Amino acid sequence: MLNYEVRSGRSTIEGTGVFAAVRIPRRAKIGEVTGEIISIRTARKRAKGKCRMCLIDLDHAHALDCTGGNALRHLNHSCGPNVFMRIFRQRVEIYAKQDINAGEELTLDYGETPHDDGMLCRCGHRECRSRI
Ligand SMILES: [Zn+2]
């Protein structure tokens, strides 16, 4: 579910990233990360060897496995992100934190998500905390 066109592509931060295909105004809801709603129990079993964005905790009992989901699953982390995530009624909504130009990579602060595995950060932002 996307309100603004985005595309995935090679990121200068890490692997594949998501890029705005059009200009996205500040506070706009970009879309929702789609996927399969599973139990936390199943999520913990699947988590091994998966990327950080692949499993998102929705509430105390459910998680979203977005392995087969839309392009938003490729959101990279930045310590100076331009989008933020809001989890509402088991939906993972992505909003623009600022005006985003077409072609800009969309980044999210993983520190604001329940997944925190202590990875080194390579976002290159001037306020980088160097750890996720
Ligand atoms: Zn960083």
Side-chain angles (χ1 to χ4, degrees):
M1 190 243 143
L2 290 167
N3 296 330
Y4 290 86
E5 199 189 326
V6 297
R7 61 171 79 95
S8 49
R10 200 174 161 77
S11 167
T12 54
I13 301 172
E14 191 177 14
T16 304
V18 197
F19 297 81
V22 293
R23 192 181 167 281
I24 303 170
R26 181 171 175 261
R27 296 194 168 275
K29 180 179 170 184
I30 300 168
E32 291 171 15
V33 183
T34 56
E36 180 193 358
I37 295 175
I38 55 176
S39 70
I40 289 280
R41 229 178 113 96
T42 306
R44 295 290 173 262
K45 281 183 200 155
R46 290 187 188 179
K48 223 182 162 191
K50 282 217 182 187
C51 66
R52 278 154 285 152
M53 266 298 284
C54 291
L55 292 158
I56 302 165
D57 287 8
L58 298 172
D59 54 39
H60 65 282
H62 302 90
L64 184 76
D65 182 344
C66 47
T67 309
N70 62 14
L72 292 174
R73 75 181 191 279
H74 293 301
L75 278 171
N76 268 320
H77 165 90
S78 172
C79 298
N82 56 12
V83 306
F84 64 93
M85 178 188 282
R86 179 172 171 259
I87 294 165
F88 181 67
R89 292 187 180 162
Q90 298 189 351
R91 290 168 186 273
V92 179
E93 304 173 330
I94 303 294
Y95 292 87
K97 207 166 176 170
Q98 60 197 52
D99 289 338
I100 300 168
N101 293 316
E104 236 183 280
E105 178 165 6
L106 305 183
T107 53
L108 175 75
D109 187 346
Y110 287 0
E112 291 170 4
T113 72
H115 286 271
D116 189 345
D117 56 9
M119 298 268 301
L120 275 175
C121 184
R122 286 170 294 182
C123 76
H125 192 270
R126 64 183 189 280
E127 287 170 24
C128 183
R129 298 186 301 264
S130 79
R131 287 211 163 258
I132 297 175

